[in-house]
Amino acid sequence: GESVGLHLPTLSVQEGDNSIINCAYSNSASDYFIWYKQESGKGPQFIIDIRSNMDKRQGQRVTVLLNKTVKHLSLQIAATQPGDSAVYFCAENMIGGGADGLTFGKGTHLIIQP
Amino acid sequence: EADIYQTPRYLVIGTGKKITLECSQTMGHDKMYWYQQDPGMELHLIHYSYGVNSTEKGDLSSESTVSRIRTEHFPLTLESARPSHTSQYLCASSEYGQGHLHFGNGTRLTVT
């Protein structure tokens, strides 16, 4: 079946460095992508989204890049802080498909080294 | 911060017990969802609802049932809990036309 996956289960970075979390998707029909952050003991929290008519979208300290040719999505976090420590999930959907069409990846645990 | 609340936060019960996990949202969202998540793993949709009196099964087979009598309330019930039901259960909601979800903080269920 089709799925959304992340390349690394764990990513360790130094505080202050930039973090890049990657995600590969396999459903060519997906045209809407989302990154969620899940801190320990909490539910996932929406970070940023991107539609397939864009290659890049920036938020506050975060940037999402979409490469439709190789079906790859990445989340870049600038100047990583201790509060960024969490599990990050990518999810894919189709625009107008409703959130019941969301498919989640396995998650990358971002660990911040002091 | 999303206004979606789940109770209890933690629950430890014995096999065979009936339990209900509560979920309420104050955002007036029509769509509500239940996901099952093992620690650090991906989320699996087990139930969803498009509105009052609407309930649908998700991708992951589940022995639980749900009801949607009021817009703001979407409880999940297990008639007879088993150790295989041990997991975290996340409730979420969304507006129509919105592709992403607002999540509660989950109920961590342990069945002994």
Side-chain angles (χ1 to χ4, degrees):
Chain A
E2 296 179 305
S3 63
V4 177
L6 290 169
H7 293 296
L8 291 174
T10 303
L11 176 66
S12 183
V13 299
Q14 292 289 128
E15 183 178 347
D17 287 352
N18 297 334
S19 302
I20 300 175
I21 301 171
N22 295 305
C23 176
Y25 65 95
S26 58
N27 186 352
S28 301
S30 294
D31 52 12
Y32 178 58
F33 304 88
I34 308 161
W35 281 100
Y36 286 93
K37 172 186 180 183
Q38 186 175 24
E39 296 175 87
S40 180
K42 295 186 177 181
Q45 181 182 9
F46 172 84
I47 303 174
I48 192 167
D49 58 4
I50 188 168
R51 298 190 174 203
S52 59
N53 61 351
M54 302 172 69
D55 297 322
K56 178 179 179 179
R57 190 164 189 223
Q58 288 185 291
Q60 188 176 14
R61 277 200 313 117
V62 295
T63 300
V64 56
L65 299 177
L66 176 63
N67 185 330
K68 295 178 287 294
T69 302
V70 295
K71 294 200 281 281
H72 184 267
L73 188 69
S74 68
L75 177 71
Q76 299 179 0
I77 304 173
T80 310
Q81 302 168 358
D84 295 326
S85 180
V87 179
Y88 290 81
F89 293 92
C90 66
E92 64 175 317
N93 204 347
M94 286 187 279
I95 293 171
D100 46 276
L102 274 174
T103 301
F104 287 86
K106 285 183 169 56
T108 291
H109 186 192
L110 180 64
I111 297 170
I112 312 303
Q113 305 278 9
Chain B
E1 196 76 21
D3 295 318
I4 182 162
Y5 307 99
Q6 292 186 242
T7 57
R9 288 282 283 121
Y10 302 93
L11 181 61
V12 181
I13 60 165
T15 297
K17 299 291 186 184
K18 177 181 178 179
I19 59 166
T20 296
L21 309 184
E22 301 289 347
C23 177
S24 295
Q25 51 97 3
T26 59
M27 296 170 285
H29 289 169
D30 285 316
K31 291 188 169 184
M32 295 189 73
Y33 310 82
W34 278 101
Y35 285 85
Q36 187 172 339
Q37 182 191 30
D38 291 326
M41 301 298 287
E42 65 267 48
L43 284 71
H44 295 287
L45 182 66
I46 51 175
H47 296 284
Y48 61 99
S49 166
Y50 289 131
V52 171
N53 294 325
S54 155
T55 60
E56 304 287 344
K57 289 189 179 295
D59 301 324
L60 182 67
S61 175
S62 173
E63 292 161 344
S64 58
T65 58
V66 292
S67 63
R68 190 88 183 275
I69 298 172
R70 303 198 317 265
T71 297
E72 62 271 22
H73 195 214
F74 191 41
L76 180 145
T77 298
L78 277 167
E79 291 292 333
S80 180
R82 295 207 301 270
S84 61
H85 295 138
T86 294
S87 189
Q88 173 162 253
Y89 293 84
L90 289 162
C91 182
S93 71
S94 70
E95 292 184 59
Y96 265 106
Q98 186 178 57
H100 69 268
L101 298 162
H102 302 270
F103 284 91
N105 283 329
T107 293
R108 190 172 294 279
L109 174 65
T110 303
V111 183
T112 60

